[in-house]
Amino acid sequence: ATIGSPHNGTALAGLGAMLGNEATCPLACRQMAPDSDFLGALPVAGDASRWLSVFSSTDDVIRPATSSELPGATNLEVTAACGTGPLTHGTLVTAPATAALVSSFLATGQAACSP
């Protein structure tokens, strides 16, 4: 299960990587740039019953939010799936709806908004 992960890169890191300055975009930043070698080397999910990617359309770091979609995984935009309010990158991981989705998926292979 991943939460707010930039599987396909994030525009913010792409902009930083274009600057090519270690001070403004260190290694971790450059690794999250779209089409980076790091992201390209990640394994493909391949089995939606074993992989979950939870993300928020209102994430203020992962832009576009759909960058969190992982081919072959169960991809859930939590605010739409669970009817929550806006969730930023920092609040996504602590949101009760996110916890419910991840814990139910790990327990049963199906993501549910409530336990």
Side-chain angles (χ1 to χ4, degrees):
T2 65
I3 301 170
S5 298
H7 299 292
N8 300 293
T10 179
L12 184 60
L15 178 60
M18 283 185 348
L19 297 174
N21 182 332
E22 179 69 26
T24 58
C25 189
L27 178 60
C29 169
R30 292 190 311 273
Q31 289 174 331
M32 295 302 116
D35 300 319
S36 73
D37 291 341
F38 175 81
L39 291 175
L42 294 176
V44 176
D47 184 351
S49 69
R50 297 183 46 89
W51 291 83
L52 172 68
S53 179
V54 178
F55 62 99
S56 169
S57 63
T58 53
D59 190 314
D60 52 347
V61 174
I62 308 304
R63 303 303 301 158
T66 55
S67 179
S68 290
E69 292 179 350
L70 183 61
T74 297
N75 295 289
L76 291 174
E77 197 283 315
V78 66
T79 57
C82 298
T84 67
L87 295 173
T88 64
H89 193 69
T91 60
L92 178 61
V93 74
T94 60
T98 302
L101 288 172
V102 172
S103 62
S104 66
F105 188 84
L106 293 176
T108 67
Q110 300 293 316
C113 296
S114 58

